[in-house]
Amino acid sequence: MENHKGKTVYNKQTKAERKITELGPIPDTETELAPGPDDVWDETTASWRLDPVAINRHQKAKHAEINTWRDQQEQTPVEHDGHHWDTDAASRARIISVLMAGVMPLDYWTDADNNDQPMTLDQLRELYAAIVQQGGRIHDRQRTMKADVSALTTIEEVQAYPVGWPAEVTA
């Protein structure tokens, strides 16, 4: 009679762990091999292997992290003409409304530090162009990061991928 009492086994379907308490063989539905968090049982090789959808699940999670980074970056003031300017949706909408009207309501615009700065309509166009350019850089970096993550082949690589600007580049 086989004696595996005290050994830890894992269910091949659920990965549930249990200690053997009775005499006899290890059931065919269990194995002594410990699974990883993203493993599935492979009957052909009689071993655990990476679940093919696991890498995709981790990539999607990293893509969501990248989207959060993008959203934060889009709220980061842009530096233009020696001042920092708000770039959030409300600020962009205010600028667009003035540009569409073609008339500056005042002879200044308020910067991100809440200081009034002299501003002409042409200068406001230049400011808006700077905001759009920053948005383009953010979008380009986001697409690059997502492509990089999609090309990774291990969960460890995906988890270790640094989200953000490369060290030598800032927005």
Side-chain angles (χ1 to χ4, degrees):
M1 180 67 77
E2 292 181 40
N3 183 1
H4 298 283
K5 281 185 173 183
K7 289 184 179 178
T8 301
V9 292
Y10 304 87
N11 183 290
K12 294 175 183 177
Q13 292 298 313
T14 67
K15 298 191 241 179
E17 177 182 320
R18 78 172 181 94
K19 291 267 190 211
I20 295 180
T21 58
E22 65 280 347
L23 291 174
I26 296 172
D28 289 341
T29 58
E30 296 176 322
T31 178
E32 289 183 77
L33 301 173
D38 295 300
D39 286 346
V40 292
W41 184 255
D42 184 340
E43 281 298 333
T44 307
T45 62
S47 63
W48 296 103
R49 65 173 169 76
L50 181 63
D51 183 347
V53 299
I55 186 81
N56 184 264
R57 193 169 48 248
H58 286 270
Q59 287 168 328
K60 284 182 179 180
K62 187 61 77 166
H63 286 183
E65 184 182 340
I66 291 167
N67 288 344
T68 299
W69 171 86
R70 177 210 54 216
D71 293 345
Q72 292 168 343
Q73 291 299 303
E74 288 176 343
Q75 303 302 311
T76 302
V78 65
E79 185 172 342
H80 175 71
D81 202 23
H83 302 280
H84 290 94
W85 304 93
D86 291 322
T87 60
D88 58 51
S91 298
R92 291 189 313 268
R94 281 192 291 275
I95 294 172
I96 290 169
S97 67
V98 170
L99 295 177
M100 288 179 67
V103 177
M104 281 294 286
L106 303 165
D107 61 352
Y108 64 89
W109 202 259
T110 306
D111 66 17
D113 298 319
N114 210 33
N115 297 312
D116 295 339
Q117 303 299 332
M119 181 78 62
T120 66
L121 191 60
D122 285 337
Q123 290 171 319
L124 189 62
R125 278 190 192 94
E126 291 172 10
L127 170 57
Y128 191 69
I131 292 170
V132 169
Q133 288 172 341
Q134 175 175 284
R137 287 190 301 273
I138 293 166
H139 176 76
D140 185 57
R141 179 64 185 145
Q142 173 197 14
R143 288 177 53 90
T144 299
M145 287 189 290
K146 284 185 173 183
D148 289 349
V149 168
S150 293
L152 298 175
T153 59
T154 70
I155 291 169
E156 294 76 20
E157 289 173 324
V158 172
Q159 291 173 334
Y161 186 87
V163 173
W165 295 106
E168 69 278 358
V169 176
T170 57

